[in-house]
Amino acid sequence: MTGWPPTPTAPLVTVGSPETDLVSFVWLLGFVLSGFLILARLSQGVVDDESDEDDDGAEADHGLEGDHGARGDHGARGDDEPDPDESSPGAHPLAPDGAVGGRTFEDGQPAARRVDPNPDRDDGPVALPRAAEPPTLTPGLLLLNVALTQGLFGAILAGGAWYFGVPLDVLGVSGAPLSTGLPAVAVGLGFGVVLWVGNELASGLAAESGADYDEGLRELLAPDGPRAWALLLGATLPVIAVVEEFIFRAAVVGATTAAFDTSPWALAVLSSVAFALGHGAQGRVGVAVTGALGFALAAGFVLTNSLLVVVVAHYLVNALEFLVHEGLGLPDPVWG
């Protein structure tokens, strides 16, 4: 009888879906968060340098004006000594010998060959021309740079979430209306207004205590035209809100809680500390206020389990900061 004995068949092999590896995702989160904080530290140095240059420029201008007023037109020169500028009004002090417009004195001797008869004379401080300042980024380019840089961090972490199979509900994205529906947007808008008012109150208390809030970063990013405003409100601030909430709330609080079965409130404190350190360019008061804001956002994420709620709230706080203080020019706080 053909076909007997039956030939053994190979066992059926099925390819299963990759298992969720939350621990590896948390390790990737640690690297991304470290890079984020390092970049924030470098940005703080740029903001500090800009502030120092502005202060030095103001002091230098004040010093030159005072020096000119003290010395007058003839300053340390004697009344009988001719003024070189009067003999050649259009001369350039660095013109070479024989050049058109070269400076000459009344005796006809070129300035480059004239010997000072009194070399020990003290003419006081001499104002030297300033060196040319290096070109700086315009607000539009700076806003684009911020959006691209933060977008890169977000893309790396999002790719890691996909690769390690992180469930979306762990990151605060589910089919519940409060997670991704219009109710989440409404809650985020109300939450954002409350947080912005709290931020204004904190700024007011800091000003009353003499610890001013450093707004150098906000002024540095302030738009200088309609296109820059469109870039800020339509690209930079949305990217900042999505990336920072994805890192500090969805990943640090949501994914880490699921990976190690720990308390989300303990991670909310940890994320708020990291969030504050990432905003060191706003000064000590700014770090404290941002840390409190970060904890409020983390609490909102824990209570709603919605990434959309905290993204909308975060965006609204930043947008109101720029619109109210940089767009409308109102003081900080608005009742100040």
Side-chain angles (χ1 to χ4, degrees):
M1 186 175 180
T2 59
W4 187 262
T7 57
T9 58
L12 182 62
V13 178
T14 60
V15 179
S17 58
E19 296 182 358
T20 299
D21 191 355
L22 288 174
V23 175
S24 297
F25 176 73
V26 173
W27 276 105
L28 175 63
L29 170 63
F31 286 108
V32 172
L33 190 59
S34 299
F36 189 93
L37 294 179
I38 291 173
L39 181 63
R41 179 62 181 174
L42 295 176
S43 301
Q44 178 181 351
V46 172
V47 175
D48 293 341
D49 291 342
E50 291 286 342
S51 300
D52 293 341
E53 289 178 2
D54 293 340
D55 294 341
D56 293 342
E59 292 177 0
D61 292 340
H62 179 71
L64 288 178
E65 292 173 359
D67 206 23
H68 175 74
R71 295 178 62 188
D73 294 334
H74 294 280
R77 288 190 300 268
D79 294 335
D80 298 334
E81 183 178 348
D83 189 351
D85 293 334
E86 293 177 357
S87 61
S88 179
H92 192 285
L94 299 182
D97 296 344
V100 177
R103 174 184 285 181
T104 58
F105 292 94
E106 291 180 352
D107 57 4
Q109 185 178 6
R113 297 180 181 177
R114 182 180 177 92
V115 179
D116 191 352
N118 187 12
D120 296 331
R121 182 186 61 210
D122 184 10
D123 287 339
V126 179
L128 298 177
R130 294 185 186 177
E133 296 181 355
T136 58
L137 290 176
T138 63
L141 291 177
L142 189 59
L143 291 171
L144 182 61
N145 178 61
V146 172
L148 293 176
T149 304
Q150 292 220 354
L152 177 62
F153 283 111
I156 293 174
L157 196 60
W162 171 83
Y163 181 81
F164 294 115
V166 179
L168 290 179
D169 59 344
V170 168
L171 300 174
V173 180
S174 66
L178 191 57
S179 177
T180 55
L182 290 178
V185 177
V187 172
L189 290 174
F191 190 28
V193 172
V194 172
L195 292 180
W196 178 76
V197 172
N199 197 35
E200 292 291 302
L201 289 173
S203 300
L205 292 175
E208 291 293 334
S209 63
D212 290 336
Y213 195 94
D214 189 355
E215 297 295 352
L217 180 61
R218 190 184 70 197
E219 295 172 357
L220 189 63
L221 295 175
D224 57 354
R227 291 184 178 180
W229 274 107
L231 178 61
L232 173 71
L233 299 175
T236 303
L237 293 186
V239 169
I240 290 175
V242 171
V243 172
E244 291 189 351
E245 293 308 311
F246 180 45
I247 294 176
F248 291 100
R249 257 62 72 177
V252 173
V253 178
T256 308
T257 297
F260 298 103
D261 193 22
T262 186
S263 170
W265 294 106
L267 292 171
V269 174
L270 178 62
S271 71
S272 65
V273 172
F275 187 65
L277 294 176
H279 294 76
Q282 298 178 5
R284 294 182 179 180
V285 176
V287 168
V289 173
T290 305
L293 177 65
F295 183 79
L297 288 168
F301 178 82
V302 172
L303 295 175
T304 62
N305 193 31
S306 173
L307 177 61
L308 182 58
V309 167
V310 290
V311 166
V312 172
H314 190 153
Y315 171 81
L316 189 59
V317 170
N318 288 343
L320 288 175
E321 282 286 314
F322 279 95
L323 289 172
V324 171
H325 299 300
E326 301 300 331
L328 300 178
L330 296 180
D332 190 5
V334 290
W335 58 83

